[in-house]
Amino acid sequence: MALRIEDYGLLGDLHTAALVGRDGSIDWLCLPRFDAPACFAALLGDERAGFWRLAPAAGGLCTRRRYRGDSLVLETEWDTPEGSVRVIDAMPPRGKAADVVRVVEGVSGRVPMRMALRLRFDYGHIVPWVRHQDGRLAAVAGPDAAWLKTPVPLSGEDMTTYAGFEVAAGQRVPFVLTYRHSHERMPRPVDAEKALADTEAFWTSWMRGFRYEGRWEEAVRRSLVVLKALTYAPTGGIVAAVTTSLPEQPGGPRNWDYRFCWLRDATFTLQALLGTGFVAEARAWREWLLRAVAGDPADLQIMYGIDGTRRLPEYTLDWLSGYEGSAPVRVGNAASGQFQLDVWGEVLDGLHLARTAGIHADEQAWDLQRSLLDFLEGHWDDPDNGLWEVRGDRRHFVHSKVMAWTGLDRAVRAVERFGLDGPADRWRATRDKIHAEVCDRGYDAERRTFTQFYGSKGLDAALLLIPRVGFLPWNDPRVAGTVEAVRRELCSDGFLLRYEPQADGNVDGLPGTEGAFVTCTFWLADALYGLGRHREAYELFERLLSLRNDLGLLSEEYDPGTGRQLGNTPQAFSHVGLVNAALHLSGARPAERTAHGREHVGGER
C-alpha cells in the first residue's frame, strides 16, 4: 500500500531531488536533473518501478524524523525492541556527479538492519546490467550509470540488491549512491561523513541571508529552504514541484507533470525572495525569466523547461499504474501550448518588481518588455485558457483581463517612475479601457462579486488577487463583496477550492474533482488581512500551517474529508504563498514586500 504524500521528506542538491518515505525508502528520484527520467519511481506504481530502502529489518514506519537545523540533512529514527537506530540522508551540493548519501547510526542496543536497492532507469522501465567493479556495485543501462559504495557485503536476488547487517550503539555504516552518464569515467566516491558535514554547512551558510521579523519564523525559514531546493542551480529556474502525476483526486485523471518552470510563479516568487533577503536568488530567477521569454512575444509560453526549453511534449507511461491507481502517469505538459493571457501581465509585473527592488535591468530587458507590451495591446481582448489551464473552451477570464491591466499599468509606471522610453499615454488609455470593461462585464452587481469569466455564474479564487495587484483598493466594496462570495461558495471546511469544476457546464473540460488549493487559501488569509479582519486572517493562516507534514512540507492541494495532502509535492506555489502571506500578516510594509507597493494600494479608481 502506498505511503501518503505527506509521509515523504525531501532531499536535494539544486539539480534534482529525492523523496524519502517514513519507512526509509527513497521512492522517487530523477537523475541527473529534475526533469530527467526517474531511476526510483515506486511512488507512481510499486516497488517494481525502483526504490532504495534502508531501515530496520522488521520494517515499519519511523518513530520520528527531523531535518538538521535549516538544512536538508534528514534524520529518521526508529525505536525497536532491540534498540534505536538513526538513518541520516543527504544529497551533497553537486560536484562532478550526483550523490545520495545514507549513513546508518546506532543509537542504543543492537538493531538488525536491511537494505534493498532496485535501480530501474527510465521511470521503472529499464533493468540495468549490474556487476561488481573496483569494490563498488555498478549498474549500467543505455545512457545511465550508477555505483553503490558501502563496507557492508551485498547480495543479489530477484533483480534486487540486498544487504543485511546489525548496527550497535555508536556505530556508523555508510552507503553512497553515485550517478553519472554511462559514457563518462566512473567518479571517485565521496566520503560519506564529509558529505554530510558539507551539506549541512552549505544550507547553514545559505540561510545567513535570511531576513524576516515575525511570529512565523520557523515556517518561513523551512519554506525558503524548500524553494531553494526546487531551484536548478545552473540556470536559476525554479520547478513547480519535483514530481509528476501525483493526483489532485486519488484514482482520478487530474495528474500532471510539474517539473517545469511556470512564468506565472515569477512575481510571487520574487516577492518571497526579495521580502526575505535573498536578492541573489531573485536576480537568478529574473535572469532565467528574461532568457526564457526572449524571442517573438507571440510565442510566449506559460511554462518552460528548467534550462528554458520550449518543447515539453506530453505523453503517458502506460507501464506505471499511478499513485494509488491514479492514471494516466504523464510526462511533459500539453498546457505549455495553451494561450493564457495572464502570463504576459505576470512577466511584466515580475520584471517591474525586480526593477523596483533595485535589481539591475539593462536596455535589452526593457526592449523585450516593449515587445511583450505590443503583443498585449493587440490581444488583451482575446479569450484564453486562464491561469488554471482549463482544457475546455477558451473564455474571457476576469483574472486574465486583470493581469493584462497589470502589465500595462506597470509599463506606465516604468515610464513615469524610472524615465524609460515608451508611449505611456497610449498604454494608459488601453489600461483604463480594460479596467472599465472588467468592471462592466466581469462584475455581477446582484451577487456583489466579480465572476470567473464574463457572464459566468462561477467564481474563481484568483479574484482575491484583484486588490493585491492594485486593480481596486482594499476599501472598495466590490473587493469586500468578492472576498465574501469566494469564501461562501468555494470553501470546503474553511479551505478554498480554485473554482467549482462543474460550474458553467464543466468549465475545465475534465472529469472528476480536486482538493482544496493550498496557495489559494493563503490568498484568502491575505485578503482577510487586507480587509482589516486580522483575527480571522491569523486563525486561517495557523490552520494552513497545520496542513504541513512533520517536516514542514506542503503539496499542491489538501482533502479536508480525509485530511490528506494531494497533488505534486513539495509545491513551490504553496510555499511561496506561505511566505508572502506571512510577510503581509506580520505587518511588512507593502513597498518592502512587493512591487505593488503603497502607490498601488488604496488609491486606484
Side-chain angles (χ1 to χ4, degrees):
M1 184 174 181
L3 295 178
R4 301 172 303 172
I5 292 171
E6 57 266 33
D7 285 333
Y8 287 97
L10 176 72
L11 309 176
D13 66 355
L14 307 189
H15 287 245
T16 189
L19 294 184
V20 188
R22 291 175 60 90
D23 60 353
S25 182
I26 298 178
D27 290 342
W28 182 255
L29 175 60
C30 300
L31 289 170
R33 55 188 228 175
F34 292 108
D35 55 355
C39 63
F40 300 137
L43 181 69
L44 297 180
D46 56 34
E47 292 185 347
R48 291 173 295 180
F51 70 98
W52 185 14
R53 182 175 296 112
L54 187 54
L61 301 182
C62 67
T63 306
R64 57 193 161 269
R65 58 182 180 168
R66 67 181 181 91
Y67 285 118
R68 286 185 180 174
D70 291 318
S71 77
L72 281 183
V73 177
L74 178 64
E75 297 184 343
T76 306
E77 298 180 0
W78 287 262
D79 294 335
T80 76
E82 297 83 7
S84 298
V85 65
R86 178 183 300 126
V87 175
I88 308 167
D89 292 327
M91 293 187 70
R94 182 72 66 92
K96 294 183 178 180
D99 298 288
V100 181
V101 174
R102 315 192 76 179
V103 174
V104 181
E105 179 184 21
V107 177
S108 67
R110 190 173 186 88
V111 181
M113 298 292 293
R114 185 169 174 80
M115 186 218 73
L117 171 67
R118 178 176 289 183
L119 279 161
R120 294 292 184 268
F121 296 118
D122 192 25
Y123 302 102
H125 190 237
I126 297 176
V127 180
W129 173 38
V130 177
R131 69 193 190 281
H132 290 275
Q133 180 182 13
D134 297 333
R136 284 189 273 179
L137 186 80
V140 178
D144 303 300
W147 296 265
L148 177 66
K149 176 71 172 179
T150 181
V152 176
L154 303 173
S155 62
E157 180 183 344
D158 191 26
M159 310 295 283
T160 304
T161 299
Y162 293 99
F165 59 100
E166 289 187 346
V167 60
Q171 284 186 316
R172 295 170 71 92
V173 181
F175 295 80
V176 177
L177 183 70
T178 302
Y179 173 92
R180 207 170 193 181
H181 290 301
S182 60
H183 65 273
E184 298 176 314
R185 294 180 60 184
M186 181 175 66
R188 295 179 60 184
V190 299
D191 177 85
E193 298 294 350
K194 185 176 186 302
L196 291 180
D198 289 347
T199 305
E200 186 173 6
F202 167 82
W203 288 102
T204 300
S205 175
W206 179 77
M207 188 51 77
R208 292 195 182 106
F210 178 74
R211 302 289 182 272
Y212 166 76
E213 295 181 3
R215 59 196 283 189
W216 299 291
E217 180 178 345
E218 176 275 329
V220 173
R221 293 175 78 96
R222 180 48 55 183
S223 286
L224 286 161
V225 169
V226 172
L227 195 60
K228 177 67 170 177
L230 297 178
T231 302
Y232 183 60
T235 66
I238 301 174
V239 296
V242 306
T243 57
T244 178
S245 300
L246 288 182
E248 298 173 12
Q249 178 190 16
R254 296 171 181 260
N255 319 313
W256 317 108
D257 193 346
Y258 275 21
R259 298 170 299 158
F260 308 116
C261 306
W262 267 254
L263 298 188
R264 182 172 298 107
D265 297 2
T267 304
F268 298 106
T269 302
L270 284 166
Q271 288 171 355
L273 293 171
L274 291 170
T276 51
F278 293 102
V279 177
E281 283 72 18
R283 183 178 293 110
W285 174 235
R286 173 192 171 276
E287 292 304 313
W288 176 91
L289 188 65
L290 286 171
R291 293 192 302 272
V293 304
D296 187 344
D299 294 332
L300 188 70
Q301 295 185 182
I302 65 165
M303 70 180 83
Y304 295 84
I306 54 179
D307 56 2
T309 298
R310 288 173 173 263
R311 294 192 62 193
L312 307 174
E314 182 177 299
Y315 58 95
T316 61
L317 307 180
D318 297 332
W319 61 87
L320 291 175
S321 59
Y323 179 84
E324 294 189 355
S326 303
V329 172
R330 293 182 172 92
V331 171
N333 201 310
S336 61
Q338 287 187 349
F339 172 56
Q340 298 179 21
L341 178 67
D342 67 290
V343 298
W344 276 262
E346 295 286 4
V347 170
L348 291 163
D349 190 23
L351 295 176
H352 179 75
L353 167 57
R355 183 180 296 110
T356 302
I359 295 178
H360 174 71
D362 56 28
E363 184 176 338
Q364 287 75 20
W366 178 241
D367 289 342
L368 173 61
Q369 292 171 74
R370 288 282 304 267
S371 296
L372 295 174
L373 286 159
D374 288 344
F375 181 87
L376 190 58
E377 282 186 282
H379 294 274
W380 70 265
D381 56 351
D382 293 345
D384 75 318
N385 297 101
L387 85 161
W388 303 128
E389 302 171 4
V390 300
R391 300 200 176 192
D393 295 336
R394 290 182 178 180
R395 316 269 189 163
H396 290 282
F397 286 99
V398 170
H399 174 262
S400 297
K401 306 301 185 189
V402 168
M403 291 312 302
W405 176 94
T406 301
L408 289 158
D409 177 75
R410 304 311 185 248
V412 171
R413 295 183 186 280
V415 173
E416 294 175 344
R417 181 172 176 179
F418 297 100
L420 297 174
D421 179 57
D425 290 341
R426 193 180 78 212
W427 289 337
R428 188 180 296 108
T430 305
R431 178 193 68 177
D432 293 346
K433 183 178 180 180
I434 297 172
H435 195 281
E437 180 181 290
V438 170
C439 292
D440 177 45
R441 300 182 62 190
Y443 183 75
D444 186 333
E446 291 185 7
R447 297 163 63 201
R448 299 181 61 245
T449 182
F450 285 94
T451 59
Q452 185 175 30
F453 54 85
Y454 293 169
S456 170
K457 295 299 182 184
L459 299 179
D460 191 326
L463 299 170
L464 298 173
L465 301 176
I466 284 175
R468 280 191 56 169
V469 299
F471 186 85
L472 288 174
W474 288 105
N475 59 11
D476 190 293
R478 291 169 292 185
V479 169
T482 299
V483 173
E484 279 305 301
V486 167
R487 195 179 191 189
R488 180 178 63 250
E489 297 187 23
L490 294 184
C491 267
S492 175
D493 191 29
F495 302 107
L496 213 58
L497 302 173
R498 295 184 295 178
Y499 56 92
E500 175 51 59
Q502 305 308 317
D504 298 299
N506 191 16
V507 64
D508 64 10
L510 293 168
T513 60
E514 60 183 24
F517 211 77
V518 174
T519 201
C520 292
T521 313
F522 279 120
W523 294 348
L524 178 58
D526 193 77
L528 291 170
Y529 187 89
L531 293 175
R533 295 158 64 175
H534 294 182
R535 181 181 60 80
E536 294 176 75
Y538 296 148
E539 291 176 352
L540 180 56
F541 187 82
E542 292 287 352
R543 283 196 72 193
L544 282 163
L545 292 186
S546 73
L547 305 187
R548 299 177 302 155
N549 73 358
D550 56 317
L551 296 173
L553 305 182
L554 285 166
S555 67
E556 181 182 32
E557 298 182 6
Y558 176 73
D559 182 355
T562 63
R564 292 182 57 179
Q565 293 190 12
L566 295 174
N568 286 306
T569 196
Q571 181 80 8
F573 218 20
S574 297
H575 285 280
V576 165
L578 186 158
V579 173
N580 286 333
L583 289 169
H584 191 196
L585 272 59
S586 297
R589 289 185 299 158
E592 290 181 344
R593 74 182 184 93
T594 172
H596 318 137
R598 289 178 174 177
E599 61 183 347
H600 299 151
V601 178
E604 293 289 347
R605 296 168 181 79

